Amino acid sequence: MSDLTYTKELMKHFKNPKYVKDVKNANAVGEVGNIHCGDIMHLELKINEKTKKIEDIGFQTFGCPAAVASSDVVCGLAKGKTLEQAKKISKDDIVKELGGMPPIKLHCSVLGIEALHKAIDDYEKKKKRLIT
Ligand code: FES
């Protein structure tokens, strides 16, 4: 693979992302920017209050193909997981799902994970405020 060649799997997620959408009744939001390029990622979650599982997830990204594809994969991996399970999703999991990624684009693969962590954090902080 040359330094800028994307895998078929990555292009599939970029051209036809399943999770580019608004989440109805979202109860957590995460927004992050990539310091390397200025791209932005907005992610929404609908978390089940009882099971703490991610029932629905969606994102919008102003970013490159690697960022869009990575974010789509993050959403697919996180959906149906508990918050604790979702926190464990790693950059390696994303790259593996995509069949690899050009090394110079690896920084793009963390955008979705960071937004997911921020959304979970947002949810947990809101819950804490309700308790105290
Ligand atoms: Fe900005 Fe990939 S170049 S996220």
Side-chain angles (χ1 to χ4, degrees):
M1 181 189 296
S2 84
D3 268 358
L4 283 170
T5 304
Y6 291 130
T7 63
K8 262 190 200 162
E9 192 61 22
L10 189 148
M11 288 310 290
K12 196 177 89 185
H13 282 280
F14 170 59
K15 288 183 178 168
N16 194 16
K18 195 173 163 190
Y19 294 98
V20 173
K21 61 177 188 171
D22 292 328
V23 173
K24 207 173 163 191
N25 300 321
N27 52 5
V29 171
E31 200 164 285
V32 292
N34 189 321
I35 53 164
H36 297 277
C37 61
D39 288 348
I40 292 169
M41 160 89 175
H42 174 90
L43 184 139
E44 297 178 350
L45 300 176
K46 171 78 183 97
I47 298 162
N48 184 300
E49 301 288 347
K50 284 191 184 131
T51 64
K52 300 296 177 213
K53 283 188 177 172
I54 296 171
E55 285 184 343
D56 201 5
I57 182 166
F59 76 98
Q60 306 284 339
T61 293
F62 177 76
C64 68
V68 173
S70 302
S71 303
D72 202 49
V73 167
V74 167
C75 291
L77 290 175
K79 190 168 180 189
K81 296 242 176 26
T82 64
L83 298 183
E84 291 313 310
Q85 290 167 335
K87 284 179 196 174
K88 291 182 186 148
I89 297 170
S90 72
K91 186 177 78 178
D92 290 346
D93 296 330
I94 310 299
V95 174
K96 193 173 158 200
E97 285 285 321
L98 292 170
M101 190 178 289
I104 62 164
K105 301 300 276 184
L106 280 175
H107 68 93
C108 314
S109 66
V110 297
L111 206 59
I113 295 173
E114 286 175 358
L116 175 65
H117 285 179
K118 209 157 177 188
I120 292 172
D121 199 44
D122 173 52
Y123 176 82
E124 290 177 336
K125 276 184 184 152
K126 277 190 226 161
K127 289 290 140 198
K128 224 181 215 171
R129 275 200 297 270
L130 286 178
I131 293 169
T132 54

